[in-house]
Amino acid sequence: MTCRFLICLIVFGTFGSTFSQGSPDYEGGLNIAFDENGKKYLRIISWAQVQAIYNGQASDEEEQTSFNLARARILMFSQINEKFLILTHFGLNNLNSNSMSPTGLSDASELFFHGVWAQYNLGKRHSVGAGLHYFNGISRLNNQSTLNIMTLDNNRQSWSTVGLSDQFGRHLGIYAKGSLGKLQYRVAINDAITNGLDDRDPQNGGSAVYAGKRLLGSADSGKVFSGYFEYSFFDMESDILPYKVGTYLGGKRIFNLGVGFFTHPSGSVRADVNGVLEPEDVRIFAVDAFYDAPWGDDGSAITAYATYQHNDYGEDYFFLAYGTGNMAYGHLGYLLPGSVLKTRFQPYASYALNTYDAFENNRTIFGIGANTYFSGHNSKLTLEYRHESFGDDKLGTVTLQAMIYL
């Protein structure tokens, strides 16, 4: 069993209530107003996550404890009037002793843009924008914020295109978002990345590889299309930024049903027995439901999420966390009764089932854990046991994570 101890220190200046769920202390971050009514402003967000990792299965030649700078980010967004908004988000990920360089010039050491987009607001309910953005399709978890997830981390298979068609979950293209009554929408047309994670070449008569743009060219496989549509039965959520909240800790009454898609024409490639390349479309479709609401008048709350997702990356595709097949995932959490001014506890459980056309065996992932909130998501401890089974491969991990953001 691998036991990880992660200490995440997050210095985070933010806007409004979107990232301050359940905190009695947080009143917003750095907001520079350029007029008296606050319609012209600059907001700056900065955070870092540092991990100490213990691996009980390390070999005799390896240390059992290591350190990792998981995230170091700066995000800024500003508007000069209510019609225009520009956002810039940059930083680095997973800097450790193996990826560092003597002069800080390695790929892992250098900063890169996580997002840069400009937006034009068509009134109060609709907007269009362009750039390197995170207005993704498919499901709520494919648009997940990493600061208020209820479980220890997001369900990995729900980030369904990371590194295959995008740069770390962000595509370069155009998007439209907004609301029609209780229905929120986000749709996008983007360029696919040319040099994705899947750098394999197809084998004659073998399975598909996600390399259509690299091997076939951009004329046939250069664009991807995505969308997510969500109907809110109770409170509406903010869509100022694209990041979806994991749990409001009873601060809102939410019940949403969503449906989403992602398609990449000729995104994958197969080689027939003669080595002739044949394009295959990538199609992903999902439906999900999210419920988050107070449970009585004693400070308790319920958070529940469920999704079904059909993944088609091409015939018998399998690579890292991705595979052609189906996925069902859900989690359930209960915030115990108590005052927002005191320490609060939230036990939870999660389960994922992944089937793959290329294998008879299914991948199952079970998690059980608990959050201790000292000041909502701004200061919390999470303890989680996670067990993953895939054929003969079985892995159990115990993780303790401490997180603070301001």
Side-chain angles (χ1 to χ4, degrees):
M1 177 178 293
T2 300
C3 180
R4 294 182 177 181
F5 180 70
L6 299 91
I7 301 177
C8 302
L9 176 62
I10 300 180
V11 181
F12 185 79
T14 189
F15 62 98
S17 62
T18 301
F19 291 108
S20 61
Q21 295 79 28
S23 174
D25 307 310
Y26 192 73
E27 297 180 354
L30 179 58
N31 183 358
I32 304 172
F34 299 119
D35 61 2
E36 293 181 355
N37 55 24
K39 292 183 178 181
K40 297 180 181 181
Y41 63 84
L42 169 66
R43 292 178 178 176
I44 302 174
I45 302 167
S46 177
W47 69 100
Q49 295 180 344
V50 182
Q51 300 175 344
I53 303 170
Y54 174 73
N55 182 358
Q57 293 180 326
S59 66
D60 294 339
E61 294 77 25
E62 296 177 324
E63 282 191 308
Q64 293 182 320
T65 303
S66 61
F67 301 97
N68 182 46
L69 180 58
R71 292 180 179 93
R73 310 275 188 84
I74 294 176
L75 187 150
M76 303 177 292
F77 64 101
S78 178
Q79 67 176 39
I80 57 173
N81 59 45
E82 294 178 315
K83 291 185 178 294
F84 305 98
L85 181 142
I86 184 170
L87 181 142
T88 303
H89 177 193
F90 60 91
L92 55 77
N93 303 283
N94 296 317
L95 183 67
N96 52 59
S97 61
N98 293 323
S99 60
M100 295 169 63
S101 68
T103 57
L105 297 178
S106 70
D107 291 342
S109 301
E110 294 183 347
L111 303 179
F112 71 94
F113 284 113
H114 289 74
V116 180
W117 68 81
Q119 180 174 293
Y120 181 79
N121 299 320
L122 308 173
K124 294 183 178 180
R125 290 178 173 246
H126 307 280
S127 303
V128 294
L132 183 65
H133 65 88
Y134 192 66
F135 288 96
N136 297 323
I138 304 178
S139 73
R140 184 181 187 90
L141 295 190
N142 200 43
N143 298 269
Q144 175 71 60
S145 166
T146 59
L147 294 178
N148 43 50
I149 299 173
M150 186 191 68
T151 54
L152 183 74
D153 206 341
N154 198 31
N155 178 49
R156 177 61 185 86
Q157 284 71 32
S158 291
W159 270 321
S160 307
T161 63
V162 171
L164 295 180
S165 68
D166 61 35
Q167 176 176 280
F168 214 76
R170 284 82 174 174
H171 283 99
L172 183 61
I174 60 174
Y175 67 87
K177 70 176 181 75
S179 61
L180 300 168
K182 288 282 191 174
L183 177 69
Q184 286 191 344
Y185 69 89
R186 55 181 69 188
V187 293
I189 301 174
N190 305 300
D191 278 341
I193 191 173
T194 301
N195 300 305
L197 279 177
D198 194 347
D199 57 359
R200 302 171 298 172
D201 291 325
Q203 301 297 311
N204 292 0
S207 59
V209 299
Y210 202 144
K213 187 177 181 183
R214 172 170 59 87
L215 297 177
L216 302 176
S218 61
D220 294 327
S221 57
K223 291 291 187 290
V224 300
F225 308 86
S226 65
Y228 182 64
F229 307 87
E230 190 174 36
Y231 187 83
S232 302
F233 290 90
F234 302 141
D235 294 346
M236 292 282 289
E237 297 182 271
S238 171
D239 68 346
I240 296 174
L241 296 185
Y243 316 108
K244 287 294 187 180
V245 170
T247 174
Y248 288 96
L249 303 179
K252 285 182 176 287
R253 187 167 177 255
I254 304 291
F255 177 45
N256 295 347
L257 296 179
V259 59
F261 71 93
F262 172 88
T263 180
H264 185 179
S266 300
S268 288
V269 178
R270 287 185 69 245
D272 65 15
V273 293
N274 297 315
V276 177
L277 297 182
E278 299 176 349
E280 295 199 356
D281 296 341
V282 174
R283 299 187 183 96
I284 303 174
F285 170 82
V287 294
D288 61 5
F290 176 63
Y291 181 78
D292 191 274
W295 193 259
D297 299 324
D298 56 4
S300 61
I302 290 286
T303 299
Y305 178 80
T307 184
Y308 165 78
Q309 183 169 308
H310 175 69
N311 304 307
D312 185 356
Y313 295 97
E315 184 172 344
D316 289 337
Y317 184 85
F318 184 80
F319 181 70
L320 299 178
Y322 316 99
T324 292
N326 299 292
M327 180 192 76
Y329 170 82
H331 60 233
L332 177 66
Y334 176 63
L335 183 65
L336 298 178
S339 169
V340 69
L341 300 176
K342 298 181 180 180
T343 301
R344 313 175 81 190
F345 302 95
Q346 183 188 46
Y348 66 81
S350 64
Y351 181 78
L353 172 65
N354 297 270
T355 67
Y356 304 107
D357 291 356
F359 300 97
E360 294 183 357
N361 297 316
N362 299 330
R363 186 202 302 256
T364 60
I365 304 171
F366 171 73
I368 185 169
N371 293 307
T372 301
Y373 296 99
F374 302 107
S375 183
H377 288 290
N378 296 89
S379 177
K380 70 177 181 181
L381 285 174
T382 302
L383 178 66
E384 181 179 286
Y385 169 74
R386 184 177 185 268
H387 183 269
E388 180 173 348
S389 176
F390 187 24
D392 295 331
D393 296 330
K394 302 183 187 302
L395 176 65
T397 60
V398 176
T399 302
L400 177 64
Q401 173 175 284
M403 185 173 81
I404 300 173
Y405 75 80
L406 303 175

